[in-house]
């Protein structure tokens, strides 16, 4: 007979056995990489036996050691669905598992940008969203500077359906759709992209050893007290600024608020939307200005209007209809699209009011953006004449410390836990945040790629990246450009093995750092994936300059990757520029002759340098027969092949 104390000890011992668990990645609807041995791992007490079954068939047994367990799942062909059972003191069942191709979608905002931000451009794609074999795992955006993390705080696999398409990376979705429609293989997207992030944030401590200044900056933020102090100081600074702003804002504190339909705005100035606040040279404006407009609607227009579109506004805004707030946006980049509550509009006169906050020295309603009231099918134009009045003037709002962008934080927190899971490759869209430091981008980007491949231990898996799109206003004369230099640094990174670059120089928007044409980006990345990852003989690159010959004062350029031939879409644009020994560039006349480009300029004798699509937002007229754009370049003239 057992003594009561012994019985109690046995009960306590049994109760103390912790349940076996698995990382967040191993969960329902997951996609595992086909055709490669897969580790299945988790956490267990030392000595605890863990059995793993796939569709009821035992595939491995592990014993808990130092709090962990792991088995190897033999390589599987593309297939599914499967059920994975993990049996120990407790039982875990992972359902709807597929074997397919797993891609990491990483970088900054143009990769992160979800479908809801481009929904207006792709209503049919939103409406037919039913791709249950394309699954996204959205990584929680929690940085860490101390050590590479083993797991994420949260996260789950989500098949692409009507319920969740709005949260799926647009670039990754169109990439995945192109591949899935091509071969029917399940696609898993690991989406860890984070807006505004520089390349240094994605580099591990080991990779940063070559860059001591960046490494020191990352190590500095291992101090929790420092992070707390800076975060609190930034919050207090912003709080003081906005509190003072709201106190000064006559539009809010007046007896009749400036959003009220009863306000008399007859003495306000006129303003044309879209448009910029006019400033004298060296002048800045920070504060609040208000805009008002009265529109007359018919009963039919009222019945059919459910949306207010206010284009894009620098910096922040609040929008009112008939005295009721219908939406607000706190920074300049998102499109302003506000739902109109039912019964808010009325037949006859309606008052629109917009409160705009400027905190960076300038303010504007951005041109070439939609400004209307109505539905996606029927617009009532609200651009044109408005009334305007300044309500408050403030000193500039001091910038904040974006801790999440500091070196190594996103590698440790958002990338390291993924390195345990085999992948097919990486798609990457990043570089905007490094434009000002283009000088060392090639070295850092190449180092990051090499280090990621080392961390995954899968050899030189495909790494496919998008080159920066065209952006900002066009220039009348050839000029140097940091954006062009960054693109050149990206091109140089193609020296890394098994890499490819999707050129996007023709699908950007001059007025938006987040162009909405994500479908073309995704498709071009998918073409490269078919070549690099699937081994197909497919044209995936645009023309790339291969030779430059001097013929009197003309240049004759040869290209590779022309497919069935070059296509020059315009001969009178500003795609090419050449320079003489003085380094002064002039636009060049371009002619297509036997799949080569002849360049000339009456102002340039003995050209020594040539550029194509070189600028922030250059013209780009050269393609191959597959309609893939040529790679921008800046090259010295040589009679030898490049």
């Amino acid at each position: 007979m057992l003594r009561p104390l012994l019985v109690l000890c046995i009960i306590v011992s049994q109760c103390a056995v912790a349940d076996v668990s698995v990382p967040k990645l191993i969960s329902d609807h997951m996609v595992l990489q086909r055709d490669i041995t897969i580790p299945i791992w988790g956490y267990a007490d030392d000595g605890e036996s863990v059995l793993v079954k796939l569709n009821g068939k035992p595939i491995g047994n592990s014993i808990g050691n130092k709090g962990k367990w792991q088995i190897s799942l033999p390589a599987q062909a593309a297939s599914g669905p499967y059920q994975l059972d993990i049996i120990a003191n407790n039982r875990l069942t992972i359902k709807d598992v597929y074997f397919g191709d797993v891609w990491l979608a990483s970088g900054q905002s143009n990769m992160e940008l979800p479908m809801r931000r481009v929904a207006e451009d792709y209503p049919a794609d939103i409406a037919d969203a039913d791709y249950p074999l394309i699954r996204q795992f959205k990584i929680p955006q929690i940085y860490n500077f101390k050590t590479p993390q083993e797991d994420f705080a949260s996260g789950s696999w989500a098949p692409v359906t009507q319920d969740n398409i709005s949260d799926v990376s647009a670039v990754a979705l169109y990439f995945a759709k192109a591949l899935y429609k091509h071969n029917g293989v399940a696609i898993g997207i690991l989406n860890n992209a984070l807006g505004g992030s520089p390349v240094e944030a994605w580099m591990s401590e080991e990779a940063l050893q070559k860059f001591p200044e960046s490494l020191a900056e990352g190590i500095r933020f291992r101090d929790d007290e420092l992070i707390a102090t800076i975060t609190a100081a930034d919050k207090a600074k912003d709080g003081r600024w906005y509190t003072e702003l709201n106190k000064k804002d006559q539009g809010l504190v007046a007896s009749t608020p400036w959003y009220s339909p009863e306000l008399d705005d007859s003495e306000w100035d006129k303003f044309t939307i879209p448009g910029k606040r006019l400033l004298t040279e060296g002048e800045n404006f920070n504060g609040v200005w208000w805009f008002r407009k009265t529109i007359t609607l018919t009963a039919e227009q009222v019945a059919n209007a459910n949306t207010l579109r206010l284009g894009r506004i620098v910096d922040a805004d609040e929008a009112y209809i008939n005295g009721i707030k219908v939406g607000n946006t706190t920074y300049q980049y998102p499109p302003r699209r506000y739902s109109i509550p039912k019964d808010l509009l009325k037949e006859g006169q309606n008052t629109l009011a917009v409160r705009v906050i400027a905190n960076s020295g300038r303010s504007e309603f951005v041109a070439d953006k939609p400004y209307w009231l109505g539905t996606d099918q029927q617009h009532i134009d609200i651009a044109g004449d408005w009334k305007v009045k300044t309500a408050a003037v403030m000193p500039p709002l001091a910038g904040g410390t974006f801790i999440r962008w500091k070196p190594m934080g996103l590698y440790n927190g958002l990338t390291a836990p993924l390195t345990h899971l085999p992948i097919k490759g990486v798609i990457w869209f990043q570089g905007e945040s490094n434009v000002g430091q283009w000088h060392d981008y090639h070295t850092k980007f190449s180092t990051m790629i090499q280090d990621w491949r080392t961390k995954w231990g899968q050899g030189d898996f495909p790494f496919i990246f998008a080159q920066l799109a065209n952006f900002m206003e066009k220039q009348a004369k050839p000029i140097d450009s940091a954006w062009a230099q960054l693109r050149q640094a990206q091109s140089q990174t193609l020296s890394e093995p098994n890499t490819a670059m999707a050129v996007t120089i023709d699908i950007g928007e001059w007025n938006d750092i987040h162009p909405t044409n994500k479908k073309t980006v995704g498709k071009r990345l998918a073409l490269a994936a078919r070549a690099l990852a699937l081994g197909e003989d497919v044209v995936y690159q645009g023309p790339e300059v291969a030779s430059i010959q001097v013929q009197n004062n003309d240049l004759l350029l040869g290209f590779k990757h022309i497919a069935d031939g070059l296509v020059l879409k315009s001969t009178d644009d500003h795609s090419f520029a050449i320079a003489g020994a003085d380094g002064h560039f002039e636009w060049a006349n371009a002619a297509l002759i036997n799949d080569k480009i002849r360049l000339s300029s009456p102002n340039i004798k003995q050209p020594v340098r040539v550029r194509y699509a070189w600028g922030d937002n250059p013209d780009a007229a050269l393609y191959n027969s597959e309609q893939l754009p040529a790679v921008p370049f800046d090259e010295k003239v040589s009679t030898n092949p490049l």
Side-chain angles (χ1 to χ4, degrees):
M1 181 176 180
L2 294 174
R3 296 178 181 178
L5 182 58
L6 181 57
V7 172
L8 179 61
C9 289
I10 293 173
I11 294 173
V12 170
S13 176
Q14 291 175 339
C15 292
V17 176
D19 284 346
V20 165
S21 62
V22 292
K24 303 297 186 298
L25 285 172
I26 300 178
S27 54
D28 291 348
H29 314 302
M30 70 177 174
V31 179
L32 296 174
Q33 182 56 46
R34 59 174 170 153
D35 303 328
I36 191 172
T37 300
I38 300 290
I40 302 295
W41 75 101
Y43 313 99
D45 285 340
D46 290 356
E48 183 166 6
S49 178
V50 181
L51 174 64
V52 179
K53 294 182 177 182
L54 185 66
N55 274 6
K57 179 181 178 181
I59 57 171
N61 186 275
S62 180
I63 303 296
N65 181 26
K66 296 182 180 179
K68 298 180 181 179
W69 62 268
Q70 179 173 314
I71 65 99
S72 293
L73 174 62
Q76 307 286 322
S79 55
Y82 289 92
Q83 177 173 303
L84 196 67
D85 289 297
I86 300 166
I87 305 164
N89 177 60
N90 57 307
R91 185 184 188 113
L92 302 175
T93 298
I94 314 299
K95 300 177 181 177
D96 190 33
V97 177
Y98 273 78
F99 292 89
D101 288 334
V102 180
W103 288 87
L104 172 56
S106 192
Q108 58 183 108
S109 52
N110 272 307
M111 181 63 80
E112 181 185 13
L113 204 77
M115 283 297 295
R116 65 174 172 271
R117 285 277 295 271
V118 299
E120 225 173 61
D121 287 43
Y122 303 112
D125 293 344
I126 297 290
D128 76 351
D130 185 23
Y131 292 90
L133 294 188
I134 299 176
R135 287 105 185 266
Q136 175 184 257
F137 190 102
K138 184 72 171 71
I139 310 302
Q141 296 176 338
I142 302 175
Y143 58 76
N144 190 290
F145 299 100
K146 294 180 180 179
T147 187
Q149 298 300 285
E150 288 288 325
D151 196 5
F152 302 114
S154 60
S156 60
W157 290 91
V160 176
T161 65
Q162 286 288 329
D163 292 336
N164 57 45
I165 188 172
S166 292
D167 294 325
V168 179
S169 159
V171 167
L173 175 64
Y174 287 116
F175 169 81
K177 283 178 66 173
L179 292 179
Y180 177 71
K181 288 182 176 181
H182 174 65
N183 62 13
V185 172
I187 302 289
I189 296 294
L190 302 169
N191 177 6
N192 73 345
L194 190 147
S197 55
V199 69
E200 295 86 350
W202 298 102
M203 300 173 71
S204 71
E205 182 172 357
E206 292 80 8
L208 288 169
Q209 296 296 324
K210 293 167 59 175
F211 311 98
E213 289 186 7
S214 296
L215 177 61
E217 180 75 351
I219 291 175
R220 177 172 173 251
F221 282 91
R222 287 177 175 169
D223 185 342
D224 292 338
E225 185 175 341
L226 174 67
I227 291 176
T229 299
I230 291 176
T231 302
D234 280 350
K235 183 177 180 180
K237 167 184 62 68
D238 292 349
R240 288 191 300 269
W241 196 87
Y242 281 101
T243 297
E244 182 67 18
L245 177 81
N246 292 337
K247 287 180 180 179
K248 285 185 174 183
D249 186 352
Q250 295 301 306
L252 295 180
V253 302
S255 57
T256 302
W258 291 5
Y259 53 76
S260 171
E262 285 73 40
L263 181 73
D264 179 6
D265 59 18
S266 59
E267 300 300 317
W268 285 29
D269 294 331
K270 292 182 179 180
F271 188 89
T272 301
I273 290 180
K276 299 179 180 180
R277 186 179 180 105
L278 296 179
L279 301 171
T280 59
E281 187 174 351
E283 181 188 7
N284 291 315
F285 170 70
N286 297 284
V288 178
W289 50 337
W290 284 77
F291 301 81
R292 288 171 58 89
K293 185 181 184 71
T294 300
I295 59 173
T296 301
L297 303 177
T298 66
E300 181 181 3
Q301 288 173 324
V302 168
N304 291 328
N306 58 20
T307 301
L308 174 65
R309 276 298 263 118
L310 288 172
R312 191 166 75 82
I313 300 173
V314 180
D315 292 292
D317 69 281
E318 296 174 358
Y320 299 82
I321 297 178
N322 293 332
I324 303 299
K325 183 177 175 179
V326 296
N328 75 286
T329 304
T330 60
Y331 64 110
Q332 65 169 295
Y333 292 117
R336 273 57 174 180
R337 182 184 176 93
Y338 302 136
S339 297
I340 302 175
K342 188 177 181 181
D343 300 328
L344 179 57
L345 293 171
K346 58 185 179 181
E347 183 178 1
Q349 290 191 335
N350 294 264
T351 301
L352 307 180
V354 185
R355 179 187 188 232
V356 176
I357 298 173
N359 59 33
S360 59
R362 63 188 182 90
S363 191
E364 67 177 298
F365 288 76
V366 177
D368 294 340
K369 289 291 182 180
Y371 295 89
W372 51 260
L373 183 149
T375 67
D376 287 333
Q377 293 74 38
Q378 186 175 357
H379 300 168
I380 302 165
D381 187 15
I382 60 172
D385 292 338
W386 284 63
K387 295 290 190 71
V388 64
K389 189 172 183 179
T390 299
V393 176
M394 291 284 290
L397 174 61
T401 304
F402 293 95
I403 297 173
R404 64 183 179 273
W405 297 340
K406 296 298 181 181
M408 91 175 82
L410 301 186
Y411 173 79
N412 284 346
L414 279 67
T415 309
L418 300 173
T419 61
H420 304 293
L421 191 72
I423 59 175
K424 190 71 170 179
V426 174
I427 55 173
W428 173 268
F429 202 154
Q430 190 275 335
E432 297 90 343
S433 289
N434 286 94
V435 165
Q437 298 80 38
W438 60 264
H439 301 82
D440 62 1
Y441 185 80
H442 163 53
T443 305
K444 287 182 175 178
F445 189 27
S446 291
T447 300
M448 191 206 79
I449 293 172
Q450 295 165 10
D451 185 62
W452 279 22
R453 287 170 166 170
T454 298
K455 294 295 193 295
W456 257 274
Q458 290 181 233
D460 293 334
F461 55 63
F463 199 107
I464 306 168
F465 52 94
Q467 192 180 48
L468 294 189
N470 48 308
F471 176 51
M472 297 186 286
E473 295 185 5
K474 290 184 178 293
Q475 299 295 323
K477 297 289 186 180
I479 62 170
D480 209 349
S481 160
W483 281 76
Q485 296 282 9
L486 195 286
R487 293 188 193 105
Q488 184 93 327
Q490 291 175 313
S491 296
Q492 291 168 345
T493 307
L494 292 172
S495 61
E496 295 299 318
N498 214 23
T499 56
M501 181 176 72
V503 177
T504 67
I505 197 69
D506 58 332
I507 53 176
E509 299 176 28
W510 77 266
N511 58 5
D512 205 327
I513 201 170
H514 303 122
T516 59
N517 187 352
K518 297 297 188 266
K519 179 179 285 190
T520 301
V521 181
K523 287 183 174 180
R524 289 177 181 173
L525 291 169
L527 273 178
R530 287 175 57 186
L532 269 64
L534 304 183
E536 298 180 13
D537 184 13
V538 58
V539 177
Y540 68 94
Q541 302 173 84
E544 185 178 348
V545 65
S547 64
I548 304 173
Q549 294 179 322
V550 179
Q551 295 186 345
N552 297 321
N553 289 318
D554 294 352
L555 296 180
L556 191 65
L557 276 56
F559 291 82
K560 55 185 176 181
H561 310 308
I562 68 173
D564 292 331
L566 288 178
V567 177
L568 185 62
K569 294 191 174 182
S570 174
T571 59
D572 59 358
D573 66 355
H574 295 156
S575 291
F576 293 91
I578 57 178
D582 62 357
H584 173 71
F585 279 90
E586 293 279 354
W587 298 125
N589 299 315
L592 177 60
I593 302 173
N594 297 325
D595 281 331
K596 292 189 176 183
I597 298 294
R598 182 180 294 279
L599 301 178
S600 63
S601 170
N603 301 321
I604 301 295
K605 307 300 181 183
Q606 297 180 330
V608 300
R609 201 171 190 90
V610 56
R611 288 173 169 174
Y612 168 73
W614 191 265
D616 302 333
N617 183 14
D619 291 338
L622 188 62
Y623 291 74
N624 63 18
S625 59
E626 295 296 314
Q627 295 302 304
L628 293 173
V631 179
F633 64 84
D634 176 8
E635 295 289 351
K636 293 180 179 179
V637 171
S638 171
T639 57
N640 298 316
L642 297 175

